[in-house]
Structures are given as structure tokens and as C-alpha cells.
Amino acid sequence: MTKALQNDWIWASGTLWSELTMLGPSTRECWNDAPGCGSGFSVPEIHAWANLNAFIARLTRADLAGFWVYAIWAIRDALEVERKDYEPAHKPERAAKLLDAYVPAAAAWIIVMGRELWEKDEDLTPKNPNQEDPARGGALWKGKSAFCKERWDLWATRFEALSGMEDLMTETREIAAEIFARMEEIKRTAAP
């Protein structure tokens, strides 16, 4: 190991993996490689995106990392944005292709952490007005930047609507229907 590397902040604790120092930056770097950023919207890319979201959800559920806001990001992209064909950011892609990529990733959060997301009631509105609002809603969410029951209800309604959207892949529609049913079951069986 070089002197420069020994003095790097990564090694300040004397250990690397026991504290997972690079987990946050590494996770964010992977997150930034969402579908459409390199490999387009191929089926392997869609599955990799859902798997990454499931992995991040598992890290969060195990309390190894506090990546709760990633749930909002994934679910917002799938359910809180009105997708229109040929969005400027994804000109060659149709809205259905975006949803085919984003819906399974959002579903991964409900599969792994559904009960925890239902129970989480936290306002994430920044205290400083100059601070960015990472938990803000998409155009379809008019509520606060928070985990709350009202946002959960919007998500469930959107999964239900997407389950009947003929332009989506059959797999995406089936996932949306399954997740809607799971969300309704979680809500129904939740302690009052």
C-alpha cells in the first residue's frame, strides 16, 4: 500500500469492510447507472435495475445502511410521474419502455420492505429552504416530501392502473397487479 493510499480518508479507521465506508458512494454510483444511461432498456438491463433496487432495499431493511430515500426515488420514477411518449430526456424510448424498466424496480421495494414502508411515517422536507428536496414527489404526488399513508395509497392506485396498461410488457403488468394486491394485503392486515 502506498503512503498516499494509507493517508486516504477511506483508510482512516484502519479497516475498510467492517465499517462499509465505501458502501454509500458505491451504491450511489451503481444507482446513477439506471436503465437508459448506457445499455438502454434491454430486458437484462431492466432485470439488473430491479435486482439493484432489491439489494439496496435489503441493505436498508437489515439496517446496514439508511437508504430509505432510494425507495422514494425508485417509486417516484415508476408511479409519481406521468410518462408520455418521447420524453425529451429519453427521446428514442416510448413511455411504456420506461415503465417496463421502472415498475419492477419500484416493486422490489414493496417486495422486500412493504410492511416497513407502510409503517414508516416520516416527513423528509428539508429544514433549510436552500437545501435540495430529494424526497419530493413527482407530478402526480401533491403531498409533502414524506413517507405517509396517503403516498402509499397513491402508489397502490398507480400499481393497479399500470396492471391494466396494454402497452406494457406482460411481465410488468403482472408485477404491478401482484404488488397492488400485496400492498392492499399489508394495509388490510396492519395493526390499527
Side-chain angles (χ1 to χ4, degrees):
M1 182 181 333
T2 66
K3 268 292 193 209
L5 187 55
Q6 287 176 351
N7 295 328
D8 193 284
W9 70 272
I10 295 171
W11 297 100
S13 67
T15 59
L16 181 60
W17 296 110
S18 64
E19 294 185 19
L20 300 175
T21 306
M22 291 303 297
L23 183 62
S26 297
T27 301
R28 184 56 191 259
E29 187 172 337
C30 290
W31 182 270
N32 289 342
D33 189 26
C37 292
S39 299
F41 293 89
S42 65
V43 171
E45 185 76 7
I46 290 168
H47 289 173
W49 185 239
N51 288 339
L52 175 66
N53 276 273
F55 178 68
I56 295 170
R58 288 184 192 283
L59 290 173
T60 304
R61 184 174 186 192
D63 205 24
L64 292 171
F67 294 138
W68 285 93
V69 75
Y70 283 62
I72 289 179
W73 294 346
I75 297 170
R76 178 177 61 206
D77 282 349
L79 306 176
E80 294 181 3
V81 177
E82 188 72 50
R83 297 285 169 198
K84 295 183 178 40
D85 285 348
Y86 302 100
E87 292 179 323
H90 302 283
K91 286 188 181 180
E93 304 302 335
R94 293 182 38 82
K97 284 196 176 205
L98 293 170
L99 289 168
D100 284 332
Y102 296 152
V103 168
W109 283 93
I110 304 300
I111 291 167
V112 174
M113 292 187 62
R115 174 83 50 197
E116 291 84 352
L117 290 170
W118 164 258
E119 292 171 354
K120 190 159 184 74
D121 185 14
E122 182 179 3
D123 188 348
L124 301 170
T125 305
K127 306 298 182 247
N128 180 343
N130 296 325
Q131 184 180 354
E132 184 183 356
D133 186 4
R136 70 189 175 282
L140 299 176
W141 172 244
K142 304 300 183 208
K144 59 188 174 183
S145 299
F147 287 100
C148 59
K149 304 299 188 262
E150 297 80 14
R151 201 168 195 179
W152 173 275
D153 289 340
L154 170 71
W155 296 342
T157 300
R158 293 286 294 145
F159 272 121
E160 181 183 33
L162 292 172
S163 70
M165 189 174 168
E166 292 299 319
D167 290 349
L168 298 179
M169 293 186 320
T170 302
E171 178 183 358
T172 305
R173 291 193 314 267
E174 290 171 354
I175 289 168
E178 177 186 333
I179 297 305
F180 169 70
R182 183 176 295 217
M183 291 178 80
E184 289 297 299
E185 176 69 13
I186 289 169
K187 185 176 174 180
R188 187 179 59 73
T189 61

